Amino acid sequence: MAAILVLFLAASSAPSPIYVIYQQQWHFTAWALTVVFALYAIGLLGALLVLGPLSDHLGRRPVLAAAIALEIVALALFLVAGNVFVLSAARVLQGIATGVATTALSAALVDLEPSRGRAGVVTSVAPLTGLALGALGSGLLVEFGPAPTRLVYSLLAGAMVLAMVIVARMPETSPRRPGAIASLRPRVAMPAHLRSEIVPVVPVMIATWALAGMYLSLGPSVAAELLGLHNHLIGGVVVTLLAGTGAVAIALLRSRSAAMLLAPASALLGLGTLISLAGVAGDVAWLAGAGTVVAGAGFGASALATFGTFARIARPHERSAVFALANTINYLGNSVPAVLGGIAVTTLGLMTATKIYALAIAVITFSALVLRLRQTRTQPRAAVAPRV
């Protein structure tokens, strides 16, 4: 189950190193590229909000089988894509398939190991590991393999067929129960008593996923056009440095409390973004790479801290709606800034847009750091305040 989860996320990042080739072949603008990227996030968010609870009612196996089948259709569309419209359709379907699969797979992992902590670690580390491996593997195949816009999708489709066989042979871990239709109604909420805890976390959530959106959509273009790194493998390495470092950070920091991680995560994210920007502006590739590693550590720590915060503060009957809110913030933060960045690239140029994007992320992360530090200072005073 963990391997299938990694596979889905690897498939989602595989197009990133190929976007540059699509642009060259089909002559579409940067904003169109980021819209294609954002369509994936929109499809994934819609699936999480509407179809997320479905496996609790229909069982894990049928829902996973449907997600894998839809992913295979999306990969087939990638294989035959000859224009941006087919590419967009493939990304939407891929987003829906990934959203359905990640919720069902996460639930299945908990079903299989309910009494231990490994399931939680796997569901935290596997997505970022998949993003890193998918981008790196795709970059390798695009640079050194034949059919750069076809081979990676063929291999992923073959792996998905194998995943379908595994799912067909796995035991069902969740019995059917009524309420499937009612579960399709999205439930998103910010309970009033949680606002003081959630609001300070929102800026770092937006900054974290906006940075990921930038790297996954425009990162390879920045490496090629601004740093002169035209090797397609570098496009995959750019994503891998961010997501791979994030996965390592989650694995190393998983025992730390969310409250302890929020401030350092914000600082690392902002500092890494500024270092990367300095590398890009100064045409120093190694400095941009070092900044990406620092930002990646902040990315992983932030994802762990924000998830931990929502898990800690939400009461059992609130968790579904509160986590739906978290997903909405994350994926809107992932897609909307990326599209705005693409529009800025088209109108202002790649270098100017990159500077604005990076500086905006730095401002947001340091604002989050200030909010967190203020919250930390006021909590002890509140704890010792006299009763009235």
Side-chain angles (χ1 to χ4, degrees), residues 45 48-49 186-189 319-329:
L45 177 59
L48 288 173
L49 293 178
R187 296 174 179 85
V188 180
R319 283 175 188 157
S320 176
V322 168
F323 276 107
L325 172 67
N327 285 323
T328 301
I329 294 169

Side-chain angles (χ1 to χ4, degrees), residues 158-354:
M160 285 294 170
V161 171
L162 178 60
M164 182 73 83
V165 173
I166 293 170
V167 169
R169 296 176 62 86
M170 71 175 276
E172 179 55 72
T173 59
S174 179
R176 285 175 175 263
R177 60 187 178 91
I181 300 300
S183 75
L184 300 179
R185 182 169 62 88
R187 296 174 179 85
V188 180
M190 183 190 291
H193 66 279
L194 299 183
R195 285 176 189 165
S196 62
E197 295 266 16
I198 290 176
V199 171
V201 179
V202 170
V204 73
M205 295 171 70
I206 293 172
T208 297
W209 291 98
L211 184 66
M214 180 185 181
Y215 271 79
L216 285 162
S217 59
L218 296 174
S221 297
V222 170
E225 296 181 33
L226 299 185
L227 295 174
L229 304 172
H230 298 285
N231 186 311
H232 293 296
L233 175 58
I234 299 299
V237 169
V238 166
V239 178
T240 302
L241 283 176
L242 183 76
T245 306
V248 173
I250 289 174
L252 293 177
L253 300 173
R254 64 186 184 275
S255 61
R256 302 297 179 91
S257 69
M260 183 185 297
L261 289 175
L262 278 168
S266 300
L268 287 170
L269 202 66
L271 180 61
T273 301
L274 291 178
I275 294 172
S276 295
L277 176 60
V280 171
D283 195 18
V284 183
W286 68 265
L287 185 61
T292 300
V293 171
V294 175
F299 179 36
S302 169
L304 192 61
T306 53
F307 177 84
T309 298
F310 278 77
R312 175 179 59 82
I313 64 178
R315 298 167 183 169
H317 67 279
E318 298 169 335
R319 283 175 188 157
S320 176
V322 168
F323 276 107
L325 172 67
N327 285 323
T328 301
I329 294 169
N330 286 340
Y331 287 103
L332 287 177
N334 188 242
S335 55
V336 174
V339 173
L340 295 177
I343 295 171
V345 170
T346 304
T347 56
L348 302 175
L350 185 58
M351 176 60 85
T352 301
T354 300

